[in-house]
Amino acid sequence: MKNLIAYFSREGNNYVGGSIVDLSVGNTEIAAKMIHELTGGDLFRIDAVKKYPANYDETTKVAKAELRQNVRPELKAHMDNMDEYGLIFLGYPNWWDTMPMIVFTFLEGYDFSGKTIVPFCTNEGSGMGRSESDIRKLCPGATVLKGLPITGEGVKRAGNEIKAWLKELRLID
Ligand SMILES: Cc1cc2nc3c(=O)[nH]c(=O)nc-3n(C[C@H](O)[C@H](O)[C@H](O)COP(=O)(O)O)c2cc1C
């Protein structure tokens, strides 16, 4: 069975290290690619048909409304070979203390029974929030390993932290 690294990341106008900056590559995408370097496997970008606003504040409002209304945004691309994967790294930014709702759509779209999900999340201080318990609720048949929270500001220097986490989980030597 192969490894999959599935992630959602929103580049552009974002809140990092306490200020608004423009990211050419999203923080979670940077972390996803670092994990990919260490573990191999396939990368899959989780994306919504409807684009989030370019502006950070606008995005926080849209995201809050989606969370409150328990919306399931439509996925832009689907995977047709989830059966081939046993270990799924799942990456996302912390949005309002959990995953963006598009990640909920992704988790409900496939059968993760018998698979292992390894979450990682970039954030501005809320860590994993309640995302891990949300993943367990959405994927009751999956094993969910201990997630890694990474601050957006520190993501480019997170190589050693990522390595130590993967070693602790016995996913790399
Ligand atoms: C809609 C929205 C909501 C957010 N909510 C939180 C939050 O509740 N806690 C937190 O620590 N960071 C929050 N953030 C900050 C992001 O988690 C952080 O900037 C992250 O690194 C962005 O990752 P990305 O570049 O991969 O999208 C939020 C950002 C956005 C856009």
Side-chain angles (χ1 to χ4, degrees):
M1 289 258 231
K2 297 193 286 183
N3 290 350
L4 176 70
I5 301 155
Y7 66 95
F8 171 83
S9 188
R10 178 184 156 278
E11 68 276 326
N13 197 227
N14 219 330
Y15 186 62
V16 181
S19 30
I20 300 290
V21 295
D22 266 309
L23 303 173
S24 58
V25 180
N27 291 328
T28 309
E29 181 164 337
I30 292 173
K33 292 192 169 155
M34 287 167 121
I35 293 171
H36 183 238
E37 288 272 302
L38 293 163
T39 64
D42 297 333
L43 282 162
F44 177 75
R45 184 171 187 156
I46 300 169
D47 214 349
V49 169
K50 193 168 154 221
K51 254 190 139 353
Y52 288 95
N55 177 273
Y56 170 76
D57 284 330
E58 291 297 320
T59 300
T60 61
K61 286 180 198 152
V62 173
K64 193 175 218 173
E66 285 183 352
L67 176 65
R68 281 209 180 124
Q69 294 157 23
N70 204 18
V71 165
R72 295 293 184 270
E74 195 186 334
L75 287 165
K76 204 169 183 174
H78 293 268
M79 295 186 55
D80 53 14
N81 61 341
M82 191 60 91
D83 293 356
E84 294 172 20
Y85 301 99
L87 183 67
I88 293 111
F89 293 93
L90 181 72
Y92 45 87
N94 183 322
W95 279 14
W96 296 114
D97 211 39
T98 187
M99 305 167 278
M101 299 318 281
I102 188 68
V103 182
F104 283 63
T105 311
F106 177 79
L107 291 177
E108 285 175 351
Y110 304 92
D111 182 7
F112 291 97
S113 301
K115 300 185 191 291
T116 300
I117 300 178
V118 193
F120 60 100
C121 156
T122 70
N123 67 93
E124 271 293 303
S126 307
M128 301 300 288
R130 57 184 170 79
S131 63
E132 289 165 296
S133 86
D134 284 342
I135 295 169
R136 288 193 174 92
K137 276 186 225 154
L138 291 163
C139 308
T143 302
V144 182
L145 300 186
K146 188 180 104 178
L148 181 70
I150 308 166
T151 60
E153 201 183 8
V155 72
K156 290 190 179 128
R157 299 182 306 276
N160 286 338
E161 209 182 322
I162 291 173
K163 249 186 224 162
W165 167 66
L166 293 171
K167 276 189 185 167
E168 192 192 327
L169 296 178
R170 300 182 185 280
L171 298 175
I172 58 169
D173 293 329

